[in-house]
Amino acid sequence: MRSNQDTFKLTAYLAIFAGIGIWLFFDGFKKWRRKRLIENIPTSKIRSMAMGLVELYGQATPWQFILKGPLTGRDCVFYKYMVERYERRGKSSSWVKVATGGSYDNLFHIDDGTGIVLINPRRAELNLDKPDFSFESGLFGGDIPSNLVSFLDQNDIKYQTWFGKHRMRFREWDICPNDQVYILGTVKKNGNFVSDFKMKLNDRLREIKAKPEEMKKIDSDGDGTVSVYEWEQAVAKLKEEMMEAQLRQPEQPQETSFVIDKGQEETIFIVSEKSEKDLLQHLNWQSLAEIIGGALLASGCIFGFIKMLTTLF
Amino acid sequence: MGIFVLLVLLFLLFGLISYAFTIYNGLIRVSRNIEKAWANIDVILKQRHDEIPKLIKICEQFSQYERGTLERVIELRTAAMNATGVADKAVKEGNLTKALGGIWAVGEAYPDLKSNNNIHQLQTRISGLESELADRRELYNDSVNIYNIRINQVPDMIIANMLSYREKEMFRISEDEKKDVDISLNLPK
């Protein structure tokens, strides 16, 4: 005979696992749809890519400058890192994230031999293989090297205890120059001329309003106040001047005039170090396992739940 | 045990419906991809057609160009612009590419033509467009290939048949276009 507490516990477990099963089942389908989408899109050449969703494959190259991996100091075009500390909480111990980050705001290029295009990794789903650097200090690992100690110090991460040092785990993923990268994302114009222009104009108008000497120049009849007509005249003149200045600027080179980003309609944006074939294989197995496993787990849990109810009542 | 089987069957049924929807949506996408790829080819073809009158205008200033060669290019441009369907367009655009090759060949043989800045700029522009055209043709053919494979594969085939989807033709290069341009044919006598 089970106690009420046991029954409650069992019900809770069944509900949780049924939920996990249902989530896995749906997530499996999501992955399968993604696999189909990747299969359905042919690879474009950068030279001739059209606006909208594209699939590209090329070598990573730096845009403005080469980055340095924060843990390794390695040359790269993109990095992300994670530092974890082994902490004891009551009876159990676990790894706790103490620092994470990445060069998400640094754009980089990919070059497929026909052209170069910018990649904005900010909203990308990154698929970066295994970590390029992994180090664990403590029990079986060695002592923390000096470069990692200085990283911890710079970031105010506590690693020393009263009796010695915490166990620490460091991981860094890099996309290095010349690494082959697979991209599935949306081609966009780099910067919107109209919105950029409006933003610059508004900034300049705010500047004028804040400076009395500039407002005085606008006051053409010198009556001490700027009329609506005088203000409109000033805005029109400013627009003209800014437009002329814009036209005098050299045209943006092709390699920076387009950027691959997350689209508004097509929200898929993958940056992967895996080849398309590997990515598809991975998605195939994952989706199959999740669909079948999820369905069985959810069915089993719901079945158990119904069975339990029938024995109770 | 019966309930368990029923639950599994329910998941299976739901899975099958989702599967069918995904296949249907996938087929719609691959079909639209072809239309998009074709429209993108048209954009480049239009740009190339727009450059030809400029080229003819410059060439007319040089006596080396036979009137016939230029007229042929104009004629082929008009034919290419009026072409309908993939195969027809492929043939007519191929003929136009070949005729343009003839103009470049004459330019190569005459230093005063070769050094003309306008000709040089147009040649660069048209060659660039032709490279883009080749890429987009490849992308179009890839899109068609994906579509043709999909509609012949089980289980996609079942839904493709329900949608009356038929195989689509690729943008094939004519045998003439694959040959080198015969320079001697275009040289003035």
Side-chain angles (χ1 to χ4, degrees):
Chain A
M1 194 69 188
R2 278 194 210 112
S3 69
N4 278 348
Q5 206 182 357
D6 285 346
T7 312
F8 177 75
K9 256 188 184 173
L10 190 64
T11 314
Y13 280 131
L14 285 173
I16 290 167
F17 282 107
I20 293 171
I22 291 169
W23 181 84
L24 280 173
F25 182 74
F26 284 103
D27 193 60
F29 268 103
K30 202 174 136 189
K31 287 199 169 98
W32 185 65
R33 276 196 295 273
R34 169 161 295 194
K35 180 194 149 254
R36 297 261 315 185
L37 178 70
I38 295 172
E39 282 173 341
N40 287 346
I41 293 182
T43 310
S44 295
K45 298 256 170 61
I46 293 174
R47 174 176 58 192
S48 60
M49 64 185 184
M51 303 294 271
L53 189 67
V54 289
E55 181 183 271
L56 301 169
Y57 194 64
Q59 275 188 342
T61 56
W63 178 35
Q64 286 167 324
F65 42 81
I66 290 187
L67 303 172
K68 294 273 181 200
L71 303 180
T72 57
R74 187 182 292 167
D75 284 350
C76 59
V77 297
F78 175 84
Y79 65 79
K80 71 169 191 172
Y81 65 89
M82 187 194 285
V83 180
E84 290 163 298
R85 186 167 54 210
Y86 198 69
E87 287 181 7
R88 191 160 292 197
R89 282 179 186 170
K91 287 179 193 170
S92 61
S93 308
S94 62
W95 286 104
V96 177
K97 260 186 238 170
V98 285
T100 54
S103 59
Y104 300 104
D105 290 323
N106 287 287
L107 281 72
F108 61 91
H109 278 142
I110 69 154
D111 181 351
D112 70 350
T114 68
I116 288 172
V117 70
L118 277 174
I119 310 293
N120 181 6
R122 161 80 18 214
R123 296 188 297 162
E125 192 184 301
L126 297 152
N127 205 321
L128 298 180
D129 270 338
K130 287 175 191 155
D132 293 274
F133 168 76
S134 186
F135 177 80
E136 194 176 318
S137 73
L139 278 182
F140 304 108
D143 205 15
I144 306 173
S146 58
N147 62 320
L148 297 179
V149 169
S150 55
F151 174 85
L152 295 173
D153 290 337
Q154 277 166 17
N155 291 282
D156 278 333
I157 299 166
K158 204 178 127 199
Y159 61 97
Q160 279 174 320
T161 63
W162 288 103
F163 312 105
K165 284 174 185 165
H166 277 291
R167 277 176 71 194
M168 303 292 291
R169 191 156 68 184
F170 302 83
R171 275 180 285 175
E172 184 182 293
W173 293 261
D174 301 318
I175 298 179
C176 297
N178 301 329
D179 276 358
Q180 289 291 330
V181 185
Y182 169 87
I183 308 280
L184 181 64
T186 303
V187 183
K188 288 179 177 176
K189 281 254 181 205
N190 191 15
N192 183 324
F193 176 77
V194 179
S195 60
D196 284 356
F197 186 82
K198 275 185 185 167
M199 208 168 70
K200 280 182 196 164
L201 180 70
N202 286 337
D203 286 347
R204 182 76 188 105
L205 292 175
R206 260 195 296 273
E207 249 177 57
I208 292 172
K209 277 184 183 171
K211 290 179 183 166
E213 66 272 21
E214 296 246 28
M215 289 298 277
K216 218 173 189 177
K217 281 182 202 164
I218 293 172
D219 181 16
S220 51
D221 57 10
D223 64 351
T225 53
V226 175
S227 67
V228 176
Y229 174 74
E230 283 168 339
W231 181 250
E232 278 176 359
Q233 288 287 306
V235 172
K237 196 180 164 207
L238 188 63
K239 270 186 189 171
E240 208 172 291
E241 282 170 7
M242 284 176 65
M243 194 71 85
E244 275 173 13
Q246 188 82 35
L247 289 171
R248 275 197 298 273
Q249 277 181 3
E251 208 175 306
Q252 259 189 326
Q254 203 215 332
E255 58 260 34
T256 53
S257 53
F258 295 101
V259 64
I260 311 291
D261 205 337
K262 190 173 186 169
Q264 279 179 329
E265 281 167 33
E266 300 278 9
T267 52
I268 189 165
F269 181 25
I270 301 172
V271 173
S272 170
E273 272 187 317
K274 287 193 182 101
S275 68
E276 185 182 356
K277 197 180 155 198
D278 290 343
L279 203 65
L280 288 173
Q281 226 165 21
H282 187 71
L283 280 171
N284 199 22
W285 284 113
Q286 234 181 352
S287 60
L288 263 178
E290 284 189 14
I291 292 170
I292 298 168
L296 287 176
L297 181 68
S299 303
C301 290
I302 298 169
F303 171 71
F305 185 69
I306 296 170
K307 203 86 176 134
M308 201 175 68
L309 283 181
T310 48
T311 49
L312 278 175
F313 306 105
Chain B
M1 201 60 195
I3 300 167
F4 180 72
V5 175
L6 187 74
L7 283 166
V8 172
L9 283 175
L10 266 175
F11 271 102
L12 199 70
L13 181 72
F14 183 81
L16 275 174
I17 294 168
S18 297
Y19 193 71
F21 272 119
T22 310
I23 288 174
Y24 174 81
N25 289 338
L27 285 171
I28 297 288
R29 181 181 277 276
V30 288
S31 165
R32 295 289 174 270
N33 278 352
I34 295 175
E35 285 168 23
K36 187 182 161 196
W38 183 247
N40 287 334
I41 286 179
D42 260 352
V43 172
I44 303 289
L45 290 177
K46 169 86 173 56
Q47 286 174 4
R48 185 166 78 149
H49 295 156
D50 289 348
E51 296 300 332
I52 290 171
K54 295 178 202 165
L55 179 71
I56 300 292
K57 211 171 176 182
I58 299 167
C59 290
E60 276 173 345
Q61 297 163 12
F62 294 89
S63 57
Q64 281 93 337
Y65 283 104
E66 285 178 331
R67 192 76 217 151
T69 309
L70 299 180
E71 274 168 6
R72 175 110 183 99
V73 171
I74 297 169
E75 205 177 283
L76 289 171
R77 174 185 176 262
T78 314
M81 284 171 80
N82 295 327
T84 49
V86 179
D88 188 28
K89 211 156 210 171
V91 171
K92 284 172 180 164
E93 288 294 341
N95 290 340
L96 181 61
T97 306
K98 207 175 162 224
L100 281 170
I103 289 186
W104 306 138
V106 175
E108 285 294 317
Y110 291 88
D112 56 332
L113 272 178
K114 206 178 164 186
S115 60
N116 184 283
N117 202 27
N118 292 337
I119 286 262
H120 185 71
Q121 275 177 0
L122 268 173
Q123 184 171 13
T124 312
R125 164 90 176 129
I126 294 176
S127 297
L129 286 173
E130 274 168 4
S131 303
E132 279 189 44
L133 185 61
D135 292 346
R136 290 199 178 179
R137 188 163 52 194
E138 199 181 311
L139 191 80
Y140 172 81
N141 286 343
D142 282 347
S143 304
V144 171
N145 190 40
I146 290 170
Y147 168 87
N148 286 346
I149 290 172
R150 279 261 180 259
I151 65 162
N152 284 304
Q153 255 178 351
V154 178
D156 297 48
M157 185 196 245
I158 303 160
I159 294 175
N161 277 335
M162 283 158 71
L163 291 168
S164 308
Y165 275 6
R166 297 285 168 265
E167 278 202 26
K168 299 212 172 174
E169 49 186 336
M170 294 208 183
F171 197 139
R172 292 187 200 281
I173 306 170
S174 64
E175 285 307 310
D176 274 2
E177 217 181 322
K178 288 180 195 166
K179 288 177 198 161
D180 281 342
V181 177
D182 189 351
I183 296 171
S184 61
L185 280 175
N186 296 292
L187 284 173
K189 285 165 192 165

